[in-house]
Amino acid sequence: MSPATIFNIHLVLGYVPWLLCFGAYIWPRLKLMDGVEAQRAIATLHSFRFFGLVFLLPGVVGPNLPAGFAAFAAYGDFATGLLAMLALLAVRRPTIFWPSVVAFNLVGTVDLVVDYYHGTVLGLPDLAGQLGATYAIPILYVPLLMITHVAAFYLLARPQPKALPGAGDQEAGGGLSSLRSPSSAL
């Protein structure tokens, strides 16, 4: 098999175990969580995307890794990670938290889609060896990131339960019906 064929098989099959794991263990729990808690869990995973800057490190990636792929992937991940961290830091400030959640999911999804596009246009499957130590990122990490972005958008779009009468100062709808202390999530 050619390196490009192996890489493409890895890309596709990288989604299979994550979808199975997500469907069996993660999604059932996320669906039951309060909107804030569920988005915090997803933001926690995406806050590690600063690691994408590794695509810019000589010696970690090969010298022939297309710069058009590496730079966009690195900075797109970095921006997504910072926005996810902002969401985590702003969990008690809904006016900052919710826009940050939307922003990191939009930026992160665009980053991944454009990375797939750049990878295809620039012939990344034929150059998969140039990924070096970062080879595992598109195979193991990216599928989970894309799946959780889709889940986050679904959770943002689903109707939220209304607050019960006399529920105090809790806001209804929009995932804000029960802000909890940071120690209550994950």
Side-chain angles (χ1 to χ4, degrees), residues 1-10 125-128 135:
M1 258 191 256
S2 72
T5 301
I6 293 169
F7 183 73
N8 286 324
I9 289 170
H10 283 163
D126 291 321
L127 302 170
Y135 185 90

Side-chain angles (χ1 to χ4, degrees), residues 2-63:
S2 72
T5 301
I6 293 169
F7 183 73
N8 286 324
I9 289 170
H10 283 163
L11 280 178
V12 172
L13 291 182
Y15 279 86
V16 174
W18 277 123
L19 284 168
L20 293 170
C21 177
F22 192 82
Y25 302 106
I26 301 167
W27 184 240
R29 175 143 180 180
L30 281 176
K31 285 191 314 188
L32 295 175
M33 286 180 173
D34 164 74
V36 171
E37 289 183 45
Q39 295 296 345
R40 283 178 67 195
I42 293 168
T44 300
L45 171 69
H46 287 270
S47 68
F48 286 93
R49 285 180 70 172
F50 63 85
F51 184 71
L53 289 172
V54 74
F55 285 115
L56 302 175
L57 287 177
V60 176
V61 295

